[in-house]
Amino acid sequence: MKSYQKLTTTQPAACQVEEEGAAPMPSGHGKLASWWVGSGLLVAAVLLSTITVWVLRQVSGGWLGPTPPPKCLLVPESRRFDCYPERRVVVTQELCESRGCCFIQSPLPAEGKQGVPWCFYPPDFPSYTLESLNQTALGMVGLLVRRQKAYYPRDIEKLRLDVEFETDTRLHIKITDAANPRYEVPLDVPRAMKRAENPIYSLNFSWDPFGVLLQRKATGTVLLNTTVAPLIFADQFLQISTSLPSKFLYGLGEHRGSLLHSLDWNTLTLWARDVSPTESFNLYGAHPFYLLMEEGGNAHGVFLLNSNAMEVALQPAPGLTWRTIGGVLDFYFFLGPDPNLVIQQYQQVIGFPAMPPIWALGFHLCRWGYGSSNETWQTVRAMRNYQIPQDAQWNDIDYMDGYRDFTLDSQKFASLPSLVEDLHKHGQHYVMILDPGISSTSPHGSYWPFDEGLRRGLFLNTTQGLPLIGQVWPGFTAFADFSNPDTHQWWLENLQHFYAHVPFDGLWIDMNEPSNFMDGSEDGCPPGELDSPPYTPAVLGDSLSAKTVCASAKQKLSVHYNLHNLYGLMEAKATASALVKIRGKRPFIISRSTFPSQGRYSGHWLGDNRSQWKDMYYSIPGLLSFSLFGIPLVGADICGFSGSTSEELCTRWMQLGAFYPFARNHNTQNEKAQDPTAFSPAARTAMKDVLLTRYSLLPFLYTLFHRAHLQGDTVARPLFFEFPWDEATWELDRQFLWGRSLLVTPVLEPGVDSVTGYVPQGTWYDFYTGSSVNSSGEMLKMSAPLERLNLHIREGSILPTQKPGTTTEVTRGNPLRLIVALSLDATAWGDLFWDDGESLDTFEKGNYSYVVFNVTQNIFTSTVLHASTEAAKVTIGTLSIFGVQKLPSKVLLNGQEKPFSYMDNQVLTVSDLGMSLSQGFSLQWL
């Protein structure tokens, strides 16, 4: 048996599987040599490990047991891949060696931390052998054979390997049972029609033991090396490990933490769970995708298309282990080479996000505990009275009768239809909450949603074929099975019935992990390997059924064991379809549980956070992670959901939240109000001002969403996406960008009047004044009194803005102001997408305008590349040009002289342009 770390170059030619004529892999495989295969490193590793173990034995008085075999001492601590990952088990030498693994005790880690595994794979642990490999039209097909069983039940002896070179930057590798079909995620993915002609990657295999080596051709960087540990593929335990080319890894949601993951023995669990965001817990959604920055600024991404319970173990080697308990190993690799391109390539597989209606980008207000529609209405009126922008008013579950879906509390919320009518008259919108748990206790014939769902057989069933009954807000509930197309029709009919009374504009789908206030069901869960699998990932509660339904529950498409992580996605898909049919406009949906491709149907909010400063900070890595996941319409509950906020915290949070792509202030019951009208005049004014700033930027923000919808660009963006060569940006998650142009530096601490932020190399302009900041790429201290949020525009950008109003509807009728931020060579570029803001498929149908703005040689040009009637309603009123080095002698608009102003901070302003957006023009300064 060959060592896992050695990839031989003496295999048959078939192991070199890049395009014909490629150079053979050098001996030792380049960077792979650092993996303790060189003789010098080998001797050093043995010596160091032996000395370490000897010292520990002397100190411990011999409690470490007998000296491990030499092959075990060869493995450095950071490269010990866990052979006994079970939690709640004290791993003994006997247990470990029963699996054929190495056992070396290490010092215990700090409480709450993981440490070096005591039980790990030896270099010669049995794995699969690549028995055959044949060319196909798109790539290769191979047969993997395991001749010696591993330690989980129902090992699969023969596996099929499918490799498709789908594009020059995308590789698809799937490993599954060679003899029997297995569950695969029902996600529509693109099918390659021809093999990539000039891939920027090379692929090689180790035959015995089987392993995959993926490299970037341009640099030789090893992106994937699965020879570091054995491949295990049992019926309910699938595991594959790889080395990583750096420690800069992002993604793998949904979790609370910094944007950059720690590789210090850190395990991330993916199993949708209702729990207030807490570090180290598996949260509401599952996103088995990571992005990794490589030395020099290149980036790549990896997506495992698998919806079963999963954990990803990170270790300081650096290395990573995928561990899942069902399905297949279906991997996509995205070669970028820059991080923006990686995310675009990922979304080419999972689907680009939907274009939101323009009002979705306005300010939203909600709380649980308004208590009545009249109290809700009073809040709306107060916002109007202070002329604070607001586009949508929401209600939580208190609008319902007994917390039952599709009902209305006829006492406390009797005036809700009138409130919604009033919102619509003022150009505002109404959004309500819905849960997937349907009350099952109403007398027969009195609650149509349950009666009809039962009659049609649309609920999750137990193994006995009866509706699984859990408990949520209304009490005992059944759970809609959204994997059944008939459920989509029933969901639509329920929404139609309610819409006839309350014409809502959007829907908030909550509790859709699905959440359950009991574990499993009212009867618990039956014995068996679905609810008690041979291996349970490190889920909160130590059980797959903890605060959700039984994994053995039957659904139309498969068992819940396979579909759990898809529940929120399937509900969002049904809800989006229903809204389109009911309203005939773009749907607006915010979902708590999410899965890859969710952005096609909904946005996401980051869940039930707390009114604490650290929660405000954590919202930034949260929204940036969901930008990576293809869900750009994302935000956190501004000012915090639970607990009581302070005026200072809420002011700072409103400033940050005004730059969430999805901006909603939401509060729990029995806490003081935290909408902007609830605070002092000074705080209220600061909140109003920052919302007006957001509304002024709506044309820019809307255009960013168009680019996300069209090609998968991110909206809120980590700094390293724009400056990948600057390693100082790779760990930054207290600031972010809108697109490539607008830098947001919020205050995230109490009691300060300044903030220190990183300003990447180049010239940046203060958004409010146009004054320039020249940076070499450094941390800069910025003034930040309570009323100020620091915003900077990147040189070379043109931002379309608009005079703000109190709604998006009012704002869209106001004149545009174009802000030009000149580069050092006096050039700039920007664009604007414009349509009616709500109709379906405007881009696809050609019902839009697209305008490109450009500056070169002191001439600004507006070029209309596509025009619609909507653009004729809008005028460009003002042009502000930042960075004009000297006072112009004159300004010409389409050749005609025009008045202008010029300030000492090098800002040139030309007002009263009166140019229609639908007409191109030029402006020159001399």
Side-chain angles (χ1 to χ4, degrees):
M1 182 70 65
K2 295 181 179 64
S3 159
Y4 276 96
Q5 285 64 36
K6 293 180 182 176
L7 284 185
T8 177
T9 58
T10 60
Q11 299 291 356
C15 81
Q16 302 289 334
V17 296
E18 50 206 297
E19 67 281 0
E20 292 182 9
M25 190 66 67
S27 178
H29 282 213
K31 295 192 177 184
L32 202 59
S34 64
W35 279 78
W36 39 284
V37 296
S39 58
L41 285 177
L42 198 63
V43 171
V46 173
L47 186 61
L48 183 59
S49 297
T50 304
I51 292 172
T52 302
V53 171
W54 182 85
V55 170
L56 286 172
R57 283 173 201 288
Q58 303 312 305
V59 172
S60 65
W63 66 270
L64 291 180
T67 302
K71 68 179 181 180
C72 298
L73 294 173
L74 292 180
V75 186
E77 285 191 349
S78 68
R79 298 183 174 104
R80 292 177 183 172
F81 286 83
D82 200 346
C83 177
Y84 216 110
E86 282 82 353
R87 301 297 177 97
R88 311 290 185 254
V89 175
V90 177
V91 182
T92 64
Q93 183 165 351
E94 183 180 10
L95 284 173
C96 178
E97 291 179 351
S98 71
R99 293 187 170 183
C101 290
C102 294
F103 183 82
I104 298 178
Q105 285 177 270
S106 301
L108 291 171
E111 186 177 354
K113 298 285 186 181
Q114 299 170 52
V116 181
W118 292 5
C119 183
F120 57 94
Y121 296 105
D124 59 354
F125 191 94
S127 184
Y128 287 87
T129 300
L130 180 57
E131 290 286 310
S132 65
L133 191 65
N134 297 302
Q135 296 288 330
T136 66
L138 298 176
M140 281 158 288
V141 61
L143 177 66
L144 309 180
V145 177
R146 174 179 275 281
R147 292 188 172 82
Q148 188 173 338
K149 285 192 172 294
Y151 44 84
Y152 284 106
R154 297 184 301 283
D155 247 4
I156 296 174
E157 180 185 351
K158 294 183 178 180
L159 301 176
R160 176 186 170 106
L161 169 70
D162 284 288
V163 177
E164 293 187 354
F165 299 90
E166 294 195 338
T167 74
D168 289 345
T169 56
R170 184 173 83 225
L171 174 67
H172 186 188
I173 298 178
K174 183 159 77 171
I175 302 173
T176 188
D177 189 332
N180 300 296
R182 292 179 60 81
Y183 163 77
E184 297 187 28
V185 181
L187 189 68
D188 292 331
V189 293
R191 297 296 176 193
M193 303 308 293
K194 66 174 184 176
R195 180 174 176 150
E197 295 179 357
N198 297 294
I200 65 171
Y201 49 85
S202 63
L203 182 66
N204 295 274
F205 293 106
S206 166
W207 291 70
D208 184 10
F210 167 72
V212 183
L213 185 82
L214 177 66
Q215 288 183 287
R216 184 181 299 281
K217 284 184 181 178
T219 61
T221 302
V222 177
L223 310 183
L224 182 78
N225 168 20
T226 70
T227 68
V228 295
L231 167 65
I232 296 178
F233 201 123
D235 183 39
Q236 290 182 272
F237 186 89
L238 291 71
Q239 178 176 279
I240 191 167
S241 302
T242 181
S243 63
L244 298 171
S246 87
K247 65 178 183 178
F248 293 96
L249 183 142
Y250 316 83
L252 298 174
E254 180 176 6
H255 298 93
R256 164 180 281 209
S258 57
L259 179 63
L260 177 67
H261 286 301
S262 167
L263 269 58
D264 187 18
W265 306 108
N266 179 23
T267 296
L268 302 168
T269 306
L270 281 64
W271 182 248
R273 165 69 193 245
D274 172 9
V275 61
S276 295
T278 307
E279 298 87 320
S280 79
F281 289 175
N282 50 296
L283 301 182
Y284 310 108
H287 292 272
F289 167 83
Y290 70 78
L291 180 143
L292 188 138
M293 292 300 295
E294 306 159 28
E295 182 180 343
N298 286 329
H300 71 274
V302 179
F303 173 41
L304 173 55
L305 180 51
N306 181 295
S307 62
N308 289 89
M310 182 189 307
E311 61 191 17
V312 184
L314 308 175
Q315 62 191 76
L320 174 150
T321 298
W322 297 95
R323 214 175 273 137
T324 184
I325 60 171
V328 302
L329 296 176
D330 192 359
F331 285 103
Y332 288 87
F333 302 92
F334 310 100
L335 273 288
D338 73 56
N340 287 296
L341 288 172
V342 170
I343 302 306
Q344 289 181 19
Q345 292 156 12
Y346 175 43
Q347 292 174 90
Q348 287 168 6
V349 170
I350 63 172
F352 296 129
M355 184 68 186
I358 184 70
W359 63 266
L361 307 184
F363 179 60
H364 301 247
L365 194 54
C366 185
R367 79 165 299 170
W368 179 22
Y370 281 123
S372 69
S373 50
N374 285 340
E375 187 178 337
T376 309
W377 208 339
Q378 287 173 12
T379 302
V380 173
R381 288 171 174 147
M383 291 285 286
R384 289 179 192 156
N385 182 52
Y386 288 114
Q387 296 184 303
I388 301 173
Q390 182 188 2
D391 259 82
Q393 179 61 51
W394 297 38
N395 277 124
D396 209 316
I397 56 175
D398 41 351
Y399 79 86
M400 301 176 185
D401 181 8
Y403 299 143
R404 295 179 303 163
D405 276 356
F406 312 113
T407 67
L408 187 64
D409 185 328
S410 60
Q411 301 296 314
K412 296 177 181 177
F413 281 81
S415 63
L416 184 59
S418 299
L419 165 58
V420 173
E421 182 182 6
D422 177 66
L423 288 168
H424 291 166
K425 284 181 179 177
H426 286 83
Q428 295 172 302
H429 301 81
Y430 182 71
V431 180
M432 65 184 195
I433 196 170
L434 277 180
D435 294 337
I438 303 297
S439 175
S440 61
T441 57
S442 299
H444 181 71
S446 66
Y447 185 48
W448 191 87
F450 178 74
D451 292 341
E452 190 63 15
L454 186 64
R455 186 183 74 80
R456 300 186 197 179
L458 304 180
F459 298 121
L460 271 65
N461 285 336
T462 66
T463 55
Q464 304 302 310
L466 299 173
L468 183 148
I469 302 300
Q471 186 175 10
V472 201
W473 294 114
F476 290 114
T477 58
F479 297 86
D481 177 10
F482 291 103
S483 78
N484 186 344
D486 294 339
T487 305
H488 293 214
Q489 178 62 29
W490 164 86
W491 193 244
L492 167 64
E493 291 169 20
N494 278 292
L495 287 167
Q496 286 172 327
H497 296 159
F498 194 80
Y499 186 85
H501 299 287
V502 180
F504 52 84
D505 301 290
L507 290 170
W508 170 21
I509 51 177
D510 191 13
M511 308 291 285
N512 54 353
E513 292 73 30
S515 176
N516 186 358
F517 293 166
M518 51 179 59
D519 292 348
S521 76
E522 60 178 342
D523 301 316
C525 296
E529 290 194 328
L530 292 179
D531 293 298
S532 302
Y535 179 81
T536 300
V539 297
L540 177 62
D542 299 320
S543 166
L544 297 183
S545 63
K547 295 298 178 279
T548 188
V549 300
C550 298
S552 59
K554 294 181 177 179
Q555 297 189 235
K556 176 76 171 181
L557 198 62
S558 186
V559 289
H560 193 71
Y561 181 91
N562 292 327
L563 301 180
H564 174 82
N565 281 339
L566 298 173
Y567 194 91
L569 170 63
M570 290 179 168
E571 185 191 15
K573 193 173 183 178
T575 306
S577 173
L579 275 176
V580 168
K581 290 174 181 174
I582 290 170
R583 299 182 70 248
K585 299 175 181 178
R586 284 177 224 163
F588 171 73
I589 300 160
I590 295 294
S591 174
R592 191 166 74 180
S593 189
T594 59
F595 190 79
S597 82
Q598 187 99 18
R600 296 170 59 188
Y601 311 105
S602 83
H604 173 65
W605 98 105
L606 296 173
D608 295 339
N609 60 4
R610 304 165 188 85
S611 298
Q612 297 176 4
W613 289 90
K614 74 168 186 176
D615 286 62
M616 178 167 62
Y617 153 66
Y618 277 129
S619 72
I620 300 177
L623 74 92
L624 294 179
S625 291
F626 274 87
S627 292
L628 270 59
F629 300 149
I631 306 176
L633 189 63
V634 60
D637 283 346
I638 298 171
C639 301
F641 173 70
S642 64
S644 188
T645 193
S646 68
E647 182 162 291
E648 182 189 12
L649 172 61
C650 199
T651 302
R652 293 301 195 189
W653 208 329
M654 283 289 294
Q655 290 169 343
L656 168 60
F659 286 84
Y660 293 157
F662 165 60
R664 181 186 70 162
N665 180 316
H666 180 43
N667 191 7
T668 190
Q669 60 181 352
N670 303 320
E671 295 288 353
K672 62 184 181 183
Q674 62 184 37
D675 63 86
T677 70
F679 295 99
S680 70
R684 186 172 64 239
T685 299
M687 295 178 187
K688 175 182 176 179
D689 287 348
V690 78
L691 287 176
L692 288 171
T693 299
R694 177 190 179 89
Y695 274 61
S696 75
L697 283 160
L698 283 173
F700 176 56
L701 181 60
Y702 193 63
T703 300
L704 291 178
F705 269 95
H706 165 68
R707 298 176 73 87
H709 170 64
L710 185 64
Q711 62 190 38
D713 282 5
T714 53
V715 176
R717 189 172 300 179
L719 271 70
F720 75 83
F721 270 49
E722 289 300 315
F723 303 92
W725 61 86
D726 182 357
E727 290 194 27
T729 65
W730 292 9
E731 296 187 47
L732 298 178
D733 61 6
R734 300 173 71 87
Q735 301 165 269
F736 57 96
L737 293 158
W738 266 12
R740 62 177 301 275
S741 307
L742 188 64
L743 176 62
V744 183
T745 307
V747 172
L748 302 173
E749 298 170 341
V752 299
D753 59 5
S754 65
V755 61
T756 300
Y758 188 79
V759 180
Q761 184 175 10
T763 301
W764 296 79
Y765 297 91
D766 184 291
F767 172 80
Y768 309 101
T769 66
S771 296
S772 63
V773 177
N774 295 305
S775 174
S776 60
E778 57 197 310
M779 300 295 294
L780 295 177
K781 185 176 181 180
M782 310 171 196
S783 175
L786 190 59
E787 68 276 7
R788 178 181 173 88
L789 171 70
N790 277 277
L791 299 172
H792 291 88
I793 306 175
R794 184 180 181 182
E795 63 172 305
S797 307
I798 300 176
L799 268 58
T801 72
Q802 203 159 19
K803 181 182 178 182
T806 53
T807 64
T808 54
E809 183 178 279
V810 172
T811 301
R812 281 171 56 82
N814 291 338
L816 290 165
R817 174 193 175 210
L818 306 179
I819 302 177
V820 178
L822 293 177
S823 64
L824 285 179
D825 61 358
T827 61
W829 185 93
D831 62 345
L832 173 64
F833 176 82
W834 193 273
D835 62 10
D836 69 8
E838 62 178 8
S839 293
L840 294 163
D841 303 324
T842 55
F843 177 77
E844 292 76 5
K845 294 175 181 176
N847 299 325
Y848 69 94
S849 294
Y850 182 67
V851 185
V852 169
F853 310 114
N854 193 62
V855 172
T856 184
Q857 297 180 335
N858 292 0
I859 301 175
F860 170 94
T861 56
S862 173
T863 306
V864 180
L865 297 184
H866 194 279
S868 70
T869 55
E870 289 292 326
K873 305 173 186 176
V874 186
T875 60
I876 298 175
T878 304
L879 196 60
S880 296
I881 306 170
F882 298 169
V884 177
Q885 297 293 322
K886 61 180 182 179
L887 173 67
S889 59
K890 58 183 173 181
V891 169
L892 303 176
L893 174 63
N894 288 338
Q896 302 295 312
E897 197 160 337
K898 192 75 179 169
F900 65 91
S901 67
Y902 181 80
M903 300 177 65
D904 290 342
N905 62 349
Q906 300 183 336
V907 174
L908 169 65
T909 302
V910 187
S911 304
D912 301 320
L913 294 175
M915 300 301 298
S916 170
L917 182 61
S918 62
Q919 295 179 329
F921 70 93
S922 66
L923 185 140
Q924 182 178 17
W925 58 99
L926 303 170

